[in-house]
Amino acid sequence: MGKVHKSDREWREQLTPEQYRVTREKGTERPFTGLYYQFKGRGTYKCVGCGNDLFSSESKYESGCGWPSFWAPIADEEIDTERDTSYGMVRTEVKCDRCGAHLGHLFEDGPAPTGLRYCVNSAALRFSEESAEPEENN
């Protein structure tokens, strides 16, 4: 799929105020408060702005940081990163490659096999539950 470009007005109409603040204004939700922080469902975490598949529940883990954490995206090309020097810190911002939504930040303190922690705001995500496999008829 191609890139998604919308006007500020279109984003405001589509997203809740919190989703807009996080994804379009590079905001951060308060730690330990997000919908998906302790969520254990099986499926795919998608971008709230464009529906792009970002993370699998298979790579989600409990990091203790207060936000949903993943050790890898579904595919590297679905994520864009950018140097972030806001608030006197040097971090790596994580964005949706398709629509440019701010997702969170990337840190190099995650578990094996990648050693990475994608620390993502719940407000930037929409969860799609894995459908049950149909039973085989014998």
Side-chain angles (χ1 to χ4, degrees):
M1 290 192 219
K3 301 281 186 182
V4 173
H5 302 282
K6 294 184 180 186
S7 68
D8 185 62
R9 181 178 174 192
E10 289 172 310
W11 285 121
R12 287 183 185 276
E13 289 173 356
Q14 176 186 330
L15 303 170
T16 67
E18 176 72 350
Q19 290 169 336
Y20 181 86
R21 185 183 71 77
V22 168
T23 62
R24 308 320 302 175
E25 296 179 334
K26 299 184 180 191
T28 301
E29 64 198 7
R30 292 181 51 200
F32 307 103
T33 64
L35 178 64
Y36 300 122
Y37 165 59
Q38 293 184 313
F39 184 73
K40 305 272 192 252
R42 292 186 53 157
T44 303
Y45 292 86
K46 299 173 176 281
C47 176
V48 73
C50 68
N52 192 18
D53 290 350
L54 300 172
F55 300 97
S56 166
S57 61
E58 298 296 317
S59 69
K60 188 173 189 284
Y61 72 101
E62 177 56 54
S63 70
C65 71
W67 292 273
S69 298
F70 304 87
W71 50 264
I74 285 178
D76 289 339
E77 58 269 13
E78 305 303 339
I79 300 288
D80 188 24
T81 59
E82 186 173 288
R83 182 182 163 106
D84 176 3
T85 58
S86 61
Y87 305 107
M89 296 180 275
V90 178
R91 302 179 288 175
T92 302
E93 178 187 6
V94 179
K95 302 188 302 184
C96 172
D97 188 62
R98 188 165 172 231
C99 73
H102 170 77
L103 303 173
H105 290 89
L106 174 61
F107 301 95
E108 295 181 354
D109 60 1
T114 65
L116 300 175
R117 172 172 53 100
Y118 290 82
C119 185
V120 181
N121 291 284
S122 290
L125 301 172
R126 185 181 80 232
F127 183 74
S128 178
E129 191 169 11
E130 186 177 278
S131 59
E133 300 267 334
E135 292 185 26
E136 291 184 30
N137 294 329
N138 291 336

